[in-house]
Short mmCIF file of all heavy atoms in Angstrom, two decimals:
data_model
loop_
_atom_site.label_atom_id
_atom_site.label_comp_id
_atom_site.label_asym_id
_atom_site.label_seq_id
_atom_site.Cartn_x
_atom_site.Cartn_y
_atom_site.Cartn_z
N MET C 126 6.56 11.92 4.99
CA MET C 126 6.26 10.57 4.52
C MET C 126 4.95 10.53 3.75
O MET C 126 4.84 9.90 2.70
CB MET C 126 6.22 9.60 5.70
CG MET C 126 7.55 9.40 6.39
SD MET C 126 8.76 8.53 5.37
CE MET C 126 8.10 6.87 5.41
N ILE C 127 3.94 11.23 4.27
CA ILE C 127 2.64 11.26 3.60
C ILE C 127 2.76 11.93 2.23
O ILE C 127 2.25 11.42 1.22
CB ILE C 127 1.60 11.98 4.47
CG1 ILE C 127 1.32 11.17 5.74
CG2 ILE C 127 0.30 12.20 3.70
CD1 ILE C 127 0.44 11.88 6.75
N CYS C 128 3.44 13.08 2.20
CA CYS C 128 3.58 13.82 0.94
C CYS C 128 4.49 13.10 -0.05
O CYS C 128 4.37 13.30 -1.26
CB CYS C 128 4.14 15.21 1.23
SG CYS C 128 3.03 16.27 2.20
N ALA C 129 5.38 12.26 0.43
CA ALA C 129 6.30 11.55 -0.46
C ALA C 129 5.68 10.27 -1.01
O ALA C 129 5.91 9.92 -2.18
CB ALA C 129 7.59 11.23 0.28
N PHE C 130 4.87 9.60 -0.21
CA PHE C 130 4.36 8.30 -0.62
C PHE C 130 3.12 8.40 -1.51
O PHE C 130 2.97 7.62 -2.46
CB PHE C 130 4.04 7.44 0.61
CG PHE C 130 5.22 6.65 1.10
CD1 PHE C 130 6.36 7.29 1.58
CD2 PHE C 130 5.22 5.27 1.09
CE1 PHE C 130 7.45 6.58 2.04
CE2 PHE C 130 6.30 4.53 1.54
CZ PHE C 130 7.42 5.19 2.02
N PHE C 131 2.21 9.32 -1.21
CA PHE C 131 0.97 9.38 -1.98
C PHE C 131 1.20 9.72 -3.46
O PHE C 131 0.54 9.13 -4.32
CB PHE C 131 -0.01 10.37 -1.34
CG PHE C 131 -0.93 9.73 -0.34
CD1 PHE C 131 -0.58 9.67 1.00
CD2 PHE C 131 -2.12 9.15 -0.73
CE1 PHE C 131 -1.41 9.07 1.93
CE2 PHE C 131 -2.96 8.55 0.18
CZ PHE C 131 -2.61 8.50 1.52
N PRO C 132 2.09 10.65 -3.82
CA PRO C 132 2.32 10.89 -5.25
C PRO C 132 2.87 9.67 -5.98
O PRO C 132 2.70 9.56 -7.20
CB PRO C 132 3.34 12.04 -5.25
CG PRO C 132 3.12 12.75 -3.96
CD PRO C 132 2.78 11.67 -2.99
N LEU C 133 3.50 8.75 -5.26
CA LEU C 133 4.03 7.55 -5.91
C LEU C 133 2.92 6.61 -6.39
O LEU C 133 3.19 5.67 -7.13
CB LEU C 133 4.96 6.80 -4.94
CG LEU C 133 6.27 7.52 -4.59
CD1 LEU C 133 7.05 6.72 -3.57
CD2 LEU C 133 7.11 7.74 -5.84
N LEU C 134 1.69 6.88 -5.97
CA LEU C 134 0.57 6.08 -6.47
C LEU C 134 0.44 6.20 -7.99
O LEU C 134 0.03 5.25 -8.66
CB LEU C 134 -0.74 6.52 -5.80
CG LEU C 134 -0.99 6.02 -4.38
CD1 LEU C 134 -2.18 6.74 -3.77
CD2 LEU C 134 -1.22 4.51 -4.38
N ILE C 135 0.78 7.37 -8.52
CA ILE C 135 0.64 7.59 -9.97
C ILE C 135 1.55 6.65 -10.76
O ILE C 135 1.06 5.90 -11.62
CB ILE C 135 0.90 9.07 -10.31
CG1 ILE C 135 -0.13 9.96 -9.61
CG2 ILE C 135 0.86 9.28 -11.83
CD1 ILE C 135 0.13 11.44 -9.79
N PRO C 136 2.87 6.65 -10.52
CA PRO C 136 3.70 5.70 -11.27
C PRO C 136 3.42 4.25 -10.93
O PRO C 136 3.59 3.37 -11.78
CB PRO C 136 5.13 6.10 -10.89
CG PRO C 136 5.01 6.82 -9.60
CD PRO C 136 3.69 7.52 -9.65
N ILE C 137 2.99 3.98 -9.70
CA ILE C 137 2.69 2.59 -9.33
C ILE C 137 1.52 2.07 -10.15
O ILE C 137 1.55 0.95 -10.68
CB ILE C 137 2.41 2.48 -7.82
CG1 ILE C 137 3.71 2.65 -7.03
CG2 ILE C 137 1.77 1.14 -7.48
CD1 ILE C 137 3.51 2.69 -5.53
N PHE C 138 0.47 2.88 -10.29
CA PHE C 138 -0.69 2.46 -11.09
C PHE C 138 -0.34 2.39 -12.57
O PHE C 138 -0.91 1.58 -13.31
CB PHE C 138 -1.86 3.42 -10.87
CG PHE C 138 -2.77 3.02 -9.75
CD1 PHE C 138 -2.75 3.70 -8.55
CD2 PHE C 138 -3.64 1.96 -9.89
CE1 PHE C 138 -3.58 3.33 -7.50
CE2 PHE C 138 -4.48 1.58 -8.87
CZ PHE C 138 -4.45 2.26 -7.67
N ARG C 139 0.59 3.21 -13.01
CA ARG C 139 0.94 3.23 -14.43
C ARG C 139 1.92 2.13 -14.82
O ARG C 139 1.82 1.58 -15.91
CB ARG C 139 1.54 4.59 -14.80
CG ARG C 139 0.57 5.75 -14.72
CD ARG C 139 1.19 7.02 -15.27
NE ARG C 139 1.55 6.88 -16.67
CZ ARG C 139 2.21 7.79 -17.37
NH1 ARG C 139 2.58 8.92 -16.79
NH2 ARG C 139 2.50 7.58 -18.64
N LYS C 140 2.84 1.79 -13.93
CA LYS C 140 3.91 0.87 -14.29
C LYS C 140 3.76 -0.53 -13.72
O LYS C 140 4.37 -1.47 -14.22
CB LYS C 140 5.27 1.44 -13.84
CG LYS C 140 5.60 2.80 -14.44
CD LYS C 140 5.68 2.74 -15.96
CE LYS C 140 6.03 4.10 -16.55
NZ LYS C 140 6.10 4.06 -18.04
N LEU C 141 2.97 -0.69 -12.67
CA LEU C 141 2.81 -1.99 -12.03
C LEU C 141 1.38 -2.50 -12.23
O LEU C 141 0.48 -1.72 -12.56
CB LEU C 141 3.12 -1.89 -10.53
CG LEU C 141 4.54 -1.44 -10.16
CD1 LEU C 141 4.69 -1.36 -8.64
CD2 LEU C 141 5.58 -2.38 -10.74
N PRO C 142 1.15 -3.79 -12.03
CA PRO C 142 -0.23 -4.31 -12.13
C PRO C 142 -1.17 -3.59 -11.18
O PRO C 142 -0.76 -3.09 -10.12
CB PRO C 142 -0.06 -5.79 -11.75
CG PRO C 142 1.35 -6.11 -12.11
CD PRO C 142 2.14 -4.86 -11.84
N GLY C 143 -2.44 -3.55 -11.55
CA GLY C 143 -3.42 -2.80 -10.78
C GLY C 143 -3.54 -3.25 -9.34
O GLY C 143 -3.82 -2.44 -8.45
N THR C 144 -3.33 -4.55 -9.08
CA THR C 144 -3.45 -5.04 -7.71
C THR C 144 -2.41 -4.39 -6.80
O THR C 144 -2.68 -4.14 -5.63
CB THR C 144 -3.27 -6.57 -7.68
OG1 THR C 144 -2.07 -6.93 -8.39
CG2 THR C 144 -4.45 -7.26 -8.33
N TYR C 145 -1.23 -4.11 -7.34
CA TYR C 145 -0.20 -3.44 -6.54
C TYR C 145 -0.63 -2.02 -6.21
O TYR C 145 -0.37 -1.53 -5.10
CB TYR C 145 1.13 -3.42 -7.30
CG TYR C 145 1.81 -4.76 -7.37
CD1 TYR C 145 1.66 -5.58 -8.48
CD2 TYR C 145 2.61 -5.21 -6.33
CE1 TYR C 145 2.28 -6.82 -8.56
CE2 TYR C 145 3.25 -6.44 -6.39
CZ TYR C 145 3.08 -7.24 -7.51
OH TYR C 145 3.69 -8.46 -7.57
N GLY C 146 -1.26 -1.35 -7.16
CA GLY C 146 -1.73 0.00 -6.91
C GLY C 146 -2.82 0.04 -5.85
O GLY C 146 -2.81 0.90 -4.96
N ILE C 147 -3.77 -0.89 -5.95
CA ILE C 147 -4.85 -0.94 -4.97
C ILE C 147 -4.29 -1.28 -3.59
O ILE C 147 -4.68 -0.68 -2.57
CB ILE C 147 -5.91 -1.98 -5.40
CG1 ILE C 147 -6.57 -1.53 -6.71
CG2 ILE C 147 -6.96 -2.17 -4.31
CD1 ILE C 147 -7.51 -2.54 -7.30
N LEU C 148 -3.36 -2.23 -3.55
CA LEU C 148 -2.73 -2.60 -2.27
C LEU C 148 -2.00 -1.41 -1.66
O LEU C 148 -2.10 -1.15 -0.45
CB LEU C 148 -1.76 -3.76 -2.49
CG LEU C 148 -1.04 -4.28 -1.24
CD1 LEU C 148 -2.04 -4.95 -0.30
CD2 LEU C 148 0.06 -5.26 -1.62
N THR C 149 -1.28 -0.66 -2.49
CA THR C 149 -0.56 0.51 -2.00
C THR C 149 -1.53 1.55 -1.45
O THR C 149 -1.30 2.14 -0.38
CB THR C 149 0.28 1.13 -3.13
OG1 THR C 149 1.19 0.16 -3.63
CG2 THR C 149 1.06 2.34 -2.63
N LEU C 150 -2.61 1.79 -2.17
CA LEU C 150 -3.61 2.77 -1.72
C LEU C 150 -4.18 2.37 -0.37
O LEU C 150 -4.32 3.21 0.54
CB LEU C 150 -4.72 2.89 -2.76
CG LEU C 150 -5.84 3.88 -2.41
CD1 LEU C 150 -5.31 5.30 -2.30
CD2 LEU C 150 -6.96 3.80 -3.45
N VAL C 151 -4.50 1.10 -0.21
CA VAL C 151 -5.05 0.63 1.07
C VAL C 151 -4.03 0.79 2.19
O VAL C 151 -4.35 1.28 3.28
CB VAL C 151 -5.49 -0.85 0.95
CG1 VAL C 151 -5.87 -1.41 2.31
CG2 VAL C 151 -6.66 -0.98 -0.01
N PHE C 152 -2.78 0.42 1.92
CA PHE C 152 -1.74 0.53 2.93
C PHE C 152 -1.49 1.98 3.34
O PHE C 152 -1.12 2.25 4.49
CB PHE C 152 -0.43 -0.07 2.40
CG PHE C 152 -0.33 -1.56 2.59
CD1 PHE C 152 -1.46 -2.31 2.84
CD2 PHE C 152 0.89 -2.20 2.50
CE1 PHE C 152 -1.38 -3.69 3.01
CE2 PHE C 152 0.99 -3.57 2.67
CZ PHE C 152 -0.15 -4.32 2.93
N LEU C 153 -1.68 2.91 2.41
CA LEU C 153 -1.44 4.32 2.72
C LEU C 153 -2.61 4.96 3.45
O LEU C 153 -2.41 5.85 4.28
CB LEU C 153 -1.14 5.10 1.44
CG LEU C 153 0.13 4.73 0.67
CD1 LEU C 153 0.31 5.64 -0.53
CD2 LEU C 153 1.36 4.80 1.57
N VAL C 154 -3.82 4.52 3.15
CA VAL C 154 -5.00 5.17 3.71
C VAL C 154 -5.35 4.61 5.09
O VAL C 154 -5.74 5.37 5.99
CB VAL C 154 -6.20 5.03 2.75
CG1 VAL C 154 -7.49 5.53 3.41
CG2 VAL C 154 -5.94 5.82 1.48
#
Side-chain angles (χ1 to χ4, degrees):
M126 294 292 287
I127 294 173
C128 295
F130 272 64
F131 269 92
L133 292 176
L134 282 170
I135 298 175
I137 288 175
F138 269 106
R139 293 187 61 186
K140 301 299 181 181
L141 299 179
T144 51
Y145 287 96
I147 296 173
L148 181 68
T149 302
L150 179 63
V151 172
F152 275 18
L153 295 183
V154 172

